[in-house]
Amino acid sequence: MANLTVKVDAKSVRRKKIVFKSMLVLLILLLLLISLTYGVLYVINQKGNFTITLDPNAYEQEKLLVSPRRDFKYTTHKLVIESLEYMDNISESWIPNDVDSIDGPHNGNNYMAYTFYVKNNSEDTLAYSIAIDVLSVIKDVDDAIRVAVYLNGKKTVYAKRSPDTGDVEKGTTPFVRDDQVMNELRENFLPGDVDRFTIVVWLEGDDPECLNHILGGEMKMEMTLGENTKKYER
């Protein structure tokens, strides 16, 4: 019966130790990367899917005031529309006709809604910009999203153009560009004037792009209100 002898020299042992250590370091780095990625996503998600922000300069100088209440007993520089855990597609006609008559946050069945007020707290007639920017999109869900902006009762519904034809979706105003919903200027804002805004966001089931491939998608937006340099003589 033959004897089987295995010889292990010092060089072979060293090589195995180096390989083992290298794999261990790689594994630790991967774990750190995963943890960091999760942490970044967690922080982003805590900021909400839709925020409304007043320009810091206007807020500090109190020229423009923003409040979820018409009496302005509470003012802030940032409002957050709380996101829904799950949003199914609906038709615009399912949203209540009086959706813009409730102050503050008032999400409904498969739509997000928030009503707030902007006041000219200065002694000058001002102009201020109104912009809604798309911060991030997952799984092309923006192709079927609708953003309704009510300004003093006047409603405008924004949607992306058809990705296939470039046509404007029926009954909507097209996004300014893929990463910006709207960008407008509110002019002749007199001292003491108050503007009432309601923002409503939903997934339009009648949109041709509202298909299974957008399931699990996310979209984050920010509305920014900023004092414009343009002023008016009294």
Side-chain angles (χ1 to χ4, degrees), residues 132-137 140-143 145 159-163 166 174-182 219-221:
I132 298 179
D133 294 301
V134 178
L135 303 183
S136 67
V137 176
D140 296 326
V141 72
D142 56 329
D143 287 342
I145 280 288
K160 278 185 66 176
R161 293 176 180 269
S162 168
F175 283 12
V176 175
R177 53 179 189 267
D178 284 352
D179 63 349
Q180 189 169 68
V181 176
M182 63 170 290
M219 183 176 180
K220 298 182 188 299
M221 291 176 281

Side-chain angles (χ1 to χ4, degrees), residues 211-222:
L211 302 171
N212 287 338
H213 74 277
I214 68 172
L215 288 174
E218 290 184 15
M219 183 176 180
K220 298 182 188 299
M221 291 176 281
E222 180 178 38

Side-chain angles (χ1 to χ4, degrees), residues 86-164:
Y86 178 77
M87 180 186 286
D88 201 353
N89 64 85
I90 60 173
S91 172
E92 181 180 352
S93 61
W94 297 8
I95 298 173
N97 292 328
D98 62 349
V99 70
D100 65 331
S101 66
I102 305 171
D103 290 353
H106 49 98
N107 291 347
N109 188 18
N110 292 308
Y111 66 85
M112 300 188 303
Y114 203 111
T115 296
F116 66 97
Y117 299 84
V118 179
K119 181 178 181 179
N120 181 352
N121 196 47
S122 74
E123 297 181 354
D124 299 313
T125 300
L126 304 175
Y128 69 91
S129 59
I130 309 164
I132 298 179
D133 294 301
V134 178
L135 303 183
S136 67
V137 176
I138 297 175
K139 301 185 73 172
D140 296 326
V141 72
D142 56 329
D143 287 342
I145 280 288
R146 295 291 186 271
V147 180
V149 178
Y150 295 75
L151 175 54
N152 299 324
K154 182 181 178 182
K155 176 184 176 184
T156 305
V157 178
Y158 297 90
K160 278 185 66 176
R161 293 176 180 269
S162 168
D164 296 324

